[in-house]
Amino acid sequence: LAAVMPLAGTFSGGALAATANGTANATVLTPIAIAAGTALNFGTLSANASGGTVVLTSAGARSVTGSVIVTAAAFSVGTFTVTGTGSSTFAVTYPGSFNVTSGANTLGVVVSGAATGTLAGGTVSLPVGGTLTVGANQLAGSYTGSSTMTVVYN
């Protein structure tokens, strides 16, 4: 036992332990924001006995189904401006559906567009289209309504 003790005394406690310093980092992004621009405008239309839909793509192409008739009057995609940090990517959440109204009369709208995007220099214009459902013999009127869109960083 005495022979072991002098040997144990020759080891330094520092040789059996080590330390290191670590670092921590964080990047704080500019808050992402979305602002409405041009209103989604399906144009001027009429409905007959069976109704139908007006489809407006986010690229600006318009088509109809059923007995809906559209005029040559102006129509346009909706636009939203998304702002945030540099070239960050983001995701968009559209409302499931919403109504536009004229008095007590309603038309259903489903908004469509890109599900994700990339900011260019901290901003991007996001075009949106949608589908307007027109009832049979839909009553005349100027229909308006609003919806909420949400964006988050990816």
Side-chain angles (χ1 to χ4, degrees):
L1 188 55
V4 174
M5 291 299 258
L7 183 60
T10 62
F11 289 106
S12 159
L16 298 177
T19 61
N21 290 325
T23 60
N25 297 307
T27 301
V28 178
L29 301 174
T30 301
I32 194 164
I34 186 168
T38 306
L40 178 60
N41 179 2
F42 291 95
T44 302
L45 56 111
S46 67
N48 294 322
S50 64
T53 64
V54 178
V55 178
L56 183 56
T57 69
S58 61
R62 184 174 68 167
S63 62
V64 298
T65 66
S67 64
V68 175
I69 300 169
V70 292
T71 70
F75 63 93
S76 62
V77 298
T79 59
F80 289 82
T81 300
V82 179
T83 57
T85 297
S87 59
S88 298
T89 61
F90 60 89
V92 182
T93 303
Y94 298 98
S97 64
F98 69 98
N99 289 327
V100 290
T101 60
S102 176
N105 304 308
T106 63
L107 297 169
V109 176
V110 175
V111 178
S112 60
T116 60
T118 302
L119 296 169
T123 187
V124 68
S125 180
L126 183 67
V128 296
T131 300
L132 177 73
T133 301
V134 182
N137 299 312
Q138 186 74 45
L139 295 176
S142 180
Y143 290 77
T144 60
S146 62
S147 65
T148 301
M149 306 235 319
T150 304
V151 294
V152 295
Y153 283 118
N154 282 337

